[in-house]
Amino acid sequence: MPALKVLSALDVARIQWYHFKAIIVAGMGLFTDAYDLFCIAPIMKMIGQIYYHKDSIGTAVLSTSYAIALLGTALGQLIFGYLGDRVGRRKVYGLCLMIMVLSSFGCGFSVCTTRRSCVIASLGFFRFVLGLGIGGDYPLSATIMSEFANKRTRGAFIAAVFSMQGLGILMSSAVTMAVCEAFKRAGEESLEKMRAAGMETLAPWESDIAWRLILMIGALPAALTFYWRMLMPETARYTALVENNAIQAAKDMQMVMSESILSEIAEDLSSETPQQPPSSSSYKLFSRRFFSLHGRDLFAASANWFLVDVVFYTSNLLLSQIFTFSNKPPNTTNVYDSAFEVAKVAAIVAACSTIPGYWFTVYFIDRVGRVKIQIMGFFLMALVYLAAGIPYSWYWSKHEKTNKGFMVLYGLIFFFSNFGPNTTTFIIPAELFPTRFRSTCHGISGAAGKLGAIVGTVGFLWATKHEDEAKEDIFPDVKRVRIAFLILGGVCITGVLVTYFFTRETMGRSLEENEEDEIGTSSAPGSASANELLPRQ
């Protein structure tokens, strides 16, 4: 298969300033995604005290609030992933960002300030729309970065984009703590007056502004990068292989790449009979031919993403439910302290565990390989869950609020999730499929992951709730948390098996090899003969 010079030049191009610019511009979308998805835990703590007062917020309302954005994300991944292949990555990319910005502001302007059903319904609507934008950003960011990168450092570049999620989680916690502390100090005088008048309250009226402000601040990073996102050219691989315009692909790359590769591209520009891209095969998405070539890859990518999101999102929810550094009973803590404690724990885990895990992956992904890191992450997470779950009911549950050992143990889950399958499941689908299906298949894999997140969060909330409804939003049932830990350990073991038997290594492999119909037909993916087709560094 004759390769276009522009695509060959991309595969061997040295690291340049444009690569880092693309990481920042694409990464800001993931930063905003994480901010918006993970700030909801302290927000729901605040809403519970503002609108439900001494009543329980209820498992049904809580689980719906968590799931609605995830459902929107799953649909966004499917819709915008497909559109990314149909009309181009760049055209859809800006639309996703605009949806995130507008819906983030919409969440803050959720109608009503007194009727809780109205507040929850309007917030749910805007978070669903927010999820659509977030969902579209996943496949497009991964696909764009993979198609701009060289094959030697492609994994590190995509992992660096995804690592912005860690900073987004940390920022959401920092903003929540800062807003809560600022409103608490500003409202101390009014609280004193209310106490003097015998009007004791844990949620003063201005706290209704605080949670809205936290949500709206999440729109700022995305809004600031919108201009630069619109300046990004279409990827050369899409232009050359899907639009069949090799000349335009070469021109686009000349605009952003340095002089060092222009001599490689010049042949496409100056030739009177320029090389044409490899002819696209006639088979369509979900045809029998597609499944014979890529069905196993799509299954592996989707199943692994489903499994890791069951674990990752459940663990984040569990974090907000069982950890606290406050000695006050939950029903006597004011609205600001309640949200502050949840954000504080999330910030500690993000800084000490989540972010280091992402950057370990950035460093090792192109040295060790995707499959080995994914298997290692799943396996070590399983061990930690078993270590936490087996003695949970008779030891950890009695010490977890003060026991640093349990905190360290729990932090390891997030470290090996991010130095493991949470990052690799984002990378692998962007490397396995032909250019004309790449964004769609990444979106399908990601949507499967978000369904896993819904199963994990909603399932955990209902499975661990107290039988006494008055206690259901205070603390999960100890015995049921133990069972949840053991189930999550089993999910991780399943991830090890799916990765080992079904997932192909993509390290050092050119994306153009996906265009060859012969790849994967001579033997099953994962077998020795199939792997011989996949060059390694």
Side-chain angles (χ1 to χ4, degrees):
M1 182 182 70
L4 289 166
K5 289 291 184 181
V6 63
L7 304 184
S8 300
L10 282 173
D11 268 343
V12 299
R14 63 179 179 83
I15 299 174
Q16 302 170 56
W17 163 243
Y18 186 76
H19 289 125
F20 293 104
K21 182 180 177 181
I23 288 172
I24 295 170
V25 174
M28 274 298 125
L30 274 298
F31 179 99
T32 304
D33 299 347
Y35 182 103
D36 290 322
L37 287 178
F38 291 97
C39 73
I40 194 63
I43 293 295
M44 291 310 297
K45 289 282 187 181
M46 298 180 75
I47 289 176
Q49 289 190 263
I50 294 169
Y51 296 104
Y52 289 81
H53 306 295
K54 295 183 179 180
D55 298 331
S56 167
I57 194 172
T59 303
V61 173
L62 200 60
S63 59
T64 302
S65 300
Y66 284 120
I68 193 71
L70 295 172
L71 179 61
T73 303
L75 290 175
Q77 287 173 313
L78 294 173
I79 295 169
F80 290 108
Y82 174 76
L83 290 176
D85 285 333
R86 292 289 295 177
V87 302
R89 287 78 158 109
R90 178 181 178 274
K91 293 178 182 177
V92 185
Y93 208 27
L95 177 60
C96 293
L97 198 68
M98 185 57 65
I99 290 174
M100 285 192 286
V101 171
L102 295 178
S103 55
S104 292
F105 281 114
C107 289
F109 286 108
S110 295
V111 296
C112 302
T113 57
T114 55
R115 294 179 57 190
R116 62 193 186 191
S117 59
C118 182
V119 172
I120 294 297
S122 58
L123 179 62
F125 170 76
F126 283 115
R127 284 192 63 79
F128 176 80
V129 177
L130 174 66
L132 292 175
I134 290 174
D137 204 68
Y138 271 76
L140 294 171
S141 291
T143 300
I144 286 171
M145 195 67 245
S146 71
E147 292 179 351
F148 274 127
N150 63 58
K151 66 180 181 180
R152 185 174 59 86
T153 58
R154 184 178 61 234
F157 286 159
I158 304 174
V161 169
F162 195 62
S163 71
M164 297 296 284
Q165 273 203 337
L167 297 178
I169 295 171
L170 183 61
M171 182 58 70
S172 72
S173 299
V175 168
T176 300
M177 290 190 289
V179 170
C180 287
E181 188 64 22
F183 273 76
K184 180 182 176 181
R185 292 187 179 186
E188 284 179 351
E189 184 177 344
S190 62
L191 283 173
E192 289 296 330
K193 290 180 179 180
M194 295 177 71
R195 293 190 187 103
M199 301 168 59
E200 182 68 35
T201 180
L202 298 176
W205 68 269
E206 62 267 19
S207 60
D208 188 55
I209 300 174
W211 69 265
R212 298 170 186 270
L213 181 61
I214 293 168
L215 289 171
M216 288 192 288
I217 289 174
L220 297 180
L224 292 174
T225 58
F226 181 79
Y227 173 75
W228 285 276
R229 186 171 284 199
M230 290 296 92
L231 291 180
M232 294 179 72
E234 184 58 81
T235 68
R237 288 185 163 96
Y238 183 85
T239 303
L241 299 174
V242 179
E243 295 182 342
N244 292 321
N245 191 340
I247 299 298
Q248 186 60 47
K251 289 179 179 178
D252 287 343
M253 286 301 96
Q254 274 190 308
M255 293 171 57
V256 297
M257 294 295 186
S258 69
E259 296 292 331
S260 62
I261 68 167
L262 294 186
S263 60
E264 299 287 336
I265 299 175
E267 293 182 34
D268 284 332
L269 291 173
S270 60
S271 175
E272 294 182 2
T273 56
Q275 288 178 294
Q276 292 301 311
S279 58
S280 298
S281 299
S282 59
Y283 69 89
K284 299 182 182 299
L285 186 68
F286 301 142
S287 64
R288 182 176 299 179
R289 182 65 171 164
F290 171 85
F291 281 113
S292 69
L293 293 172
H294 308 293
R296 203 168 196 178
D297 291 335
L298 185 59
F299 164 76
S302 301
N304 283 320
W305 207 329
F306 177 91
L307 294 170
V308 73
D309 273 9
V310 169
V311 174
F312 186 72
Y313 282 83
T314 304
S315 299
N316 272 287
L317 180 60
L318 189 64
L319 188 69
S320 68
Q321 296 288 316
I322 68 174
F323 281 108
T324 178
F325 294 123
S326 174
N327 294 321
K328 297 178 182 180
N331 57 356
T332 64
T333 306
N334 71 52
V335 63
Y336 302 122
D337 290 339
S338 179
F340 188 96
E341 289 301 321
V342 173
K344 181 179 177 181
V345 174
I348 291 172
V349 172
C352 300
S353 181
T354 303
I355 294 175
Y358 282 122
W359 286 99
F360 266 68
T361 304
V362 171
Y363 182 79
F364 286 105
I365 190 73
D366 290 312
R367 292 171 170 83
V368 177
R370 289 77 163 136
V371 171
K372 290 179 181 178
I373 289 177
Q374 188 161 296
I375 290 175
M376 176 204 68
F378 268 130
F379 179 72
L380 293 176
M381 286 167 65
L383 293 182
V384 175
Y385 273 119
L386 295 177
I390 292 173
Y392 184 82
S393 58
W394 53 268
Y395 181 74
W396 292 121
S397 63
K398 296 179 174 60
H399 301 86
E400 62 191 1
K401 290 189 178 183
T402 56
N403 194 303
K404 295 179 181 178
F406 188 77
M407 189 70 176
V408 171
L409 198 64
Y410 204 78
L412 289 174
I413 293 173
F414 288 95
F415 178 80
F416 288 114
S417 174
N418 294 300
F419 182 34
N422 190 47
T423 306
T424 54
T425 51
F426 181 79
I427 297 171
I428 292 173
E431 302 178 311
L432 276 176
F433 303 100
T435 306
R436 64 191 182 281
F437 301 140
R438 185 169 294 131
S439 179
T440 301
C441 291
H442 195 286
I444 293 169
S445 303
K450 290 303 168 280
L451 291 180
I454 294 172
V455 169
T457 53
V458 175
F460 171 80
L461 284 170
W462 285 95
T464 61
K465 64 174 288 191
H466 274 283
E467 295 180 3
D468 182 359
E469 292 187 1
K471 297 181 179 179
E472 67 181 52
D473 65 339
I474 295 177
F475 197 82
D477 182 80
V478 170
K479 292 182 180 179
R480 293 180 178 182
V481 170
R482 177 177 181 270
I483 294 172
F485 273 132
L486 298 178
I487 291 174
L488 292 175
V491 171
C492 292
I493 293 297
T494 305
V496 171
L497 298 176
V498 172
T499 303
Y500 181 79
F501 287 108
F502 296 100
T503 304
R504 286 198 291 167
E505 182 56 73
T506 56
M507 181 176 66
R509 184 173 183 246
S510 174
L511 294 180
E512 278 61 66
E513 293 182 43
N514 296 314
E515 311 301 324
E516 299 179 26
D517 289 356
E518 292 78 15
I519 291 182
T521 58
S522 60
S523 59
S527 64
S529 55
N531 283 331
E532 289 174 2
L533 296 172
L534 310 178
R536 297 171 179 266
Q537 292 293 331

